[in-house]
Amino acid sequence: MATELLAPLDLAFWHLESDAHPMHLGALAVFARATGTGPERILDLLGTRAAAIPRLRMCVRDVLLPVGGKAWAVDKDFDVHRHVERVVVDDGDFMAQATRLAGELMERPLGRGLPPWRMYLIGGAAGGPFAVLVKLHHALADGMRAVAIGAGIFDEIAAVTSARTTVRGRAARPPRSWLPDPREMAGMALGRIGEVGRALGVGASVVRAGRLDLRGTTAFTAPSSGTRRLATADLDAEDLRRIRRAEGGTANDILLAVVAGALRRWMAERGEPLPAADPRALVPVSRRGPGGTATGNRLSAYLLGLPVTAADPRERLREVRSAMDRNKAAGPLKGAGAVAVLADQLPPLAHRFGAPLAANAARVLFDVLVTSVPLPRSALTLGGCPLTALYPMAPLARGQSLAVALSAYGGRVHVGLVADGKALPDLDRLAAAVEEEFTELYALITGTHRAPVS
């Protein structure tokens, strides 16, 4: 893979990170162990397949030009054993131990001198389930790109990739110069004028979306501690489809309404008063075109007030649908979410020196991140062991206490909640509230009562 400059948004994520605020996303994949498949075999497969993914051999290097820029370059001393590790857990409740351990591992920043990713094989009792925790720096990929990269460890994807491998003797394309051809200068100058105008418009939208009144719940306003806690929830995908058929809108609208209801339920259990204004959610939107192969991040986002002050679940869903319809009509260049688009318009030096300011600005713009990550629909295995669940994990910005990520796979919607460990020590209770809220909404709409999925 040729050397390439970090895209502006990737550079922003790289500079936003600090030791106490790692900017990596991740996923906890849970497998049922196949007969005769031991941990050594799985660990070997992880290492072999990860080493075969070109993107995972890239690390970030300084460049002379553009000033303040950085580039992806192949790590000449790449050793996959630095990135793949086995962690043994005691017998007992495997999922409880795996999620606790995943939270602790997500606290650790990724080393900057190496390709910014890690995989951990989390093993329980012999013959029992196991999990793979994957961590990727947000500069390396957005959610959709992370899925494409991480999918290379699965049997089905690895087999297809191997079959498409090209002849090794083919000469590699030389990296493109970082200095433009003089004939391109005029066109670039005109393009930059257009970009400046676009940046001003986007920037004005972001400023208008900012808030001076930051009153909210205790958990949302708690200072960041740098600790991480993970909790999971599981929803029935067919029940989700039945709600959608009855109420209309999108599956994402329903899930956002469920998150709002869960937050309301959780606040009541904590004895906290409802906030004077609904908390804001940042809902990422991919700008990656169909079949797009661009690396790095291609993101914007919508801004949504989560209607926790509405008492009726159906009313919460109606409010979410109306707000998301307005967001889609306005487009992804409006509101706080457009800050990601604005990052694409800024020069590298602005990211280098503006990162400390931007890192503290997230609290002004939104309270919680809620994102959906698409997964392949086909069944996946690792060494013949079937994937039973995959819980995505979104990064926490400085000043943020909670991020919620959702993925559908195998007839379930898997919810991964990442929180600041000290701000939200009762995150398990919030995860349970997600399941309870979904069950209540389903019963209200269909008249069918079911126990929450455990």
Side-chain angles (χ1 to χ4, degrees), residues 392-409:
M393 289 175 280
L396 289 180
R398 186 174 304 183
Q400 303 296 308
S401 300
L402 176 66
V404 182
L406 313 99
S407 286
Y409 174 80

Side-chain angles (χ1 to χ4, degrees), residues 202-224:
V202 173
S205 179
V206 172
V207 170
R208 286 195 298 270
R211 300 171 295 178
L212 296 178
D213 183 1
L214 300 181
R215 290 176 296 175
T217 68
T218 302
F220 288 143
T221 58
S224 299

Side-chain angles (χ1 to χ4, degrees), residues 7 15 66 93 134 175 179 191 219 256 308 395:
H15 287 310
D93 187 336
V134 181
L179 296 176
L256 287 165
V308 300

Side-chain angles (χ1 to χ4, degrees), residues 318-335:
R318 283 191 288 267
E319 289 189 25
V320 166
R321 285 180 54 194
S322 297
M324 289 301 287
D325 286 346
R326 290 193 297 270
N327 276 328
K328 293 169 187 175
L333 301 186
K334 302 294 183 182

Side-chain angles (χ1 to χ4, degrees), residues 141-160:
D142 54 27
M144 289 184 66
R145 186 64 182 169
V147 170
I149 293 173
I153 69 171
F154 294 110
D155 299 337
E156 296 76 11
I157 310 300
V160 173

